[in-house]
Amino acid sequence: MSTPDPVVGDRVVVRYRLARDAPADWRNAPNPALPHSPTLSDVTGVLVATDADRFVVRRDDVEHTIPRTAITAVRTLSRRVVRNSEIRDVERALCTAAGGDHAEIDGWLLHAGGVGLRGDLAVPVGFTASSAALPDIRSWYADRDLHPRALLPDRLVRTGSIPVLDAGLDVEVLVTDVTPTVDAVEFSPGRWATTLTTDDRTARDAARRAGLALHHTGRIHAL
């Protein structure tokens, strides 16, 4: 999966080259020019500002400014630690909340009905979910004159373990416990979620401003 650009309010880990204008190494390392000294460091925290020249990340109430010229990698993290079981629970609840027809086949939860990103999706929600179930999944959707698609959460599915028919669409699932001011699904009492494509920067910015935070990422594929 490609890494989406982080949005202000995201929790991120930023890896950067040690340099005069970059933050000091957290290991209190000696001069990076000396032999056997580290040349890279990282900072994990909440992105509080970004522009063409820098990232500003807050960690432990301290803001660290990292010039883009020093950055080698940025990864967006869930706002809090999320267990794989929680990803399965959220996906199961979102599928059920969508209405329509449902079935469970060998650890896959299948949904038929609805529109948009969440329409007609199969999701691996059980430990037994594997590619062995694909013929039955395709048959289930064919009986409904539908082309099967799957949402494959990154944490639950090893890359390449499920044969797919297209390059896929990168998505992120965001959740909140406060009634949001943007479109979202109440998938359990007092909990809302929305699924967005990672290339929709406007929607992602609006969701963060509305209090939704990243829960997990994935990719939607044709099966």
Side-chain angles (χ1 to χ4, degrees):
M1 171 178 173
S2 60
T3 302
D5 289 337
V7 176
V8 169
D10 277 343
R11 183 168 163 257
V12 297
V13 55
V14 180
R15 174 146 288 200
Y16 58 91
R17 288 184 294 272
L18 292 171
R20 181 178 301 173
D21 54 351
D25 185 73
W26 56 270
R27 293 161 293 198
N28 295 318
N31 187 335
L34 296 177
H36 310 300
S37 293
T39 59
L40 295 172
S41 189
D42 54 60
V43 58
T44 300
V46 176
L47 184 66
V48 295
T50 181
D51 57 32
D53 300 318
R54 62 186 182 135
F55 275 25
V56 182
V57 177
R58 180 184 296 122
R59 178 177 65 187
D60 299 332
D61 296 324
V62 177
E63 292 188 358
H64 303 270
T65 299
I66 308 146
R68 283 185 180 265
T69 53
I71 293 173
T72 62
V74 180
R75 186 158 62 97
T76 304
L77 306 172
S78 301
R79 192 61 185 268
R80 62 173 181 80
V81 175
V82 174
R83 297 187 299 271
N84 286 358
S85 61
E86 293 179 88
I87 296 175
R88 292 185 174 93
D89 289 344
V90 167
E91 285 297 334
R92 181 182 291 278
L94 284 171
C95 185
T96 303
D101 293 337
H102 299 90
E104 190 156 348
I105 298 175
D106 294 337
W108 291 79
L109 187 59
L110 282 54
H111 167 246
V115 296
L117 292 174
R118 284 275 171 185
D120 307 328
L121 281 180
V123 184
V125 296
F127 293 103
T128 60
S130 72
S131 60
L134 292 187
D136 289 336
I137 292 172
R138 294 189 179 107
S139 177
W140 190 87
Y141 280 103
D143 289 344
R144 291 158 178 77
D145 295 322
L146 296 170
H147 298 291
R149 300 185 308 149
L151 192 158
L152 305 179
D154 295 305
R155 292 262 300 276
L156 304 185
V157 178
R158 180 171 50 83
T159 301
S161 63
I162 305 297
V164 295
L165 302 180
D166 60 5
L169 185 65
D170 290 328
V171 298
E172 55 186 20
V173 178
L174 298 97
V175 302
T176 182
D177 296 331
V178 179
T179 306
T181 55
V182 297
D183 288 339
V185 174
E186 188 175 15
F187 63 91
S188 66
R191 298 196 74 196
W192 287 262
T194 188
T195 306
L196 303 173
T197 60
T198 59
D199 60 358
D200 191 342
R201 183 67 182 231
T202 299
R204 293 173 66 220
D205 281 338
R208 267 66 168 191
R209 290 195 299 271
L212 289 130
L214 181 66
H215 191 269
H216 62 276
T217 56
R219 179 173 284 192
I220 295 176
H221 286 283
L223 295 176

